[in-house]
Amino acid sequence: MPNAEKNVSLHLAMNSKVNIKNKRASFDYELLERYTAGLVLHGTEIKSIREGKASLVDTFCFFADGELWVRNMHISEYRLGTFFNHDATRERKLLLTKRELRKLQRAVKESGLTIVPTALFINDKGFAKMDIALARGKKMYDKRDALRAQDDRREMDRARKR
């Protein structure tokens, strides 16, 4: 019986929704195309992600030898880890199809676009996935327009609720 209880608690832990977002991405960039990529993780990194101990602040993607990598993503060291614990800010490889990689690489080379991580989550099978977007940087006046539109929406919602 104790073994069955252990499996149930493990299953519930796997189904807990981990959804870490990069809130600055949609503010600083105009998101054009979105992709979902797998992550190559080492050792205790997945355990830290399941605990929600990751951050996408100041992260960006780059190409090296035809492969897509993410830099500056912080995954905290696992609290129960030993000397096998991972490096918190190491570069991590993203997994996409060859067609998607070629398309992204062409877009980044030819025009002034960049690839920005927007969210980190765990899918139904328990794998860590990252939503990335092909993006164009916003100018300062674009950001002001976005803030003005957001404030207008809030005011309209408040007026409707009254």
Side-chain angles (χ1 to χ4, degrees), residues 120-134:
L120 177 66
F121 63 96
I122 298 196
N123 70 358
D124 297 336
K125 295 182 180 180
F127 295 121
K129 300 286 184 173
M130 179 178 282
D131 282 339
I132 59 174
L134 189 61

Side-chain angles (χ1 to χ4, degrees), residues 40-108:
V40 176
L41 299 174
H42 292 178
T44 55
E45 289 175 328
I46 188 66
K47 293 182 179 191
S48 292
I49 290 173
R50 285 188 182 131
E51 289 180 349
K53 306 283 187 189
S55 172
L56 295 178
V57 177
D58 294 332
T59 58
F60 64 95
C61 298
F62 66 98
F63 279 96
D65 298 327
E67 297 175 337
L68 188 61
W69 295 80
V70 64
R71 184 176 282 166
N72 290 344
M73 182 171 76
H74 186 272
I75 300 175
S76 297
E77 290 186 357
Y78 185 55
R79 60 185 169 82
L80 298 176
T82 60
F83 61 93
F84 291 115
N85 234 337
H86 62 274
D87 181 26
T89 58
R90 73 175 186 86
E91 296 173 355
R92 293 165 179 92
K93 185 177 174 181
L94 295 176
L95 304 172
L96 290 166
T97 63
K98 285 183 185 179
R99 184 184 309 148
E100 290 172 334
L101 285 172
R102 273 187 261 126
K103 184 177 179 181
L104 285 171
Q105 194 166 18
R106 237 180 291 121
V108 169

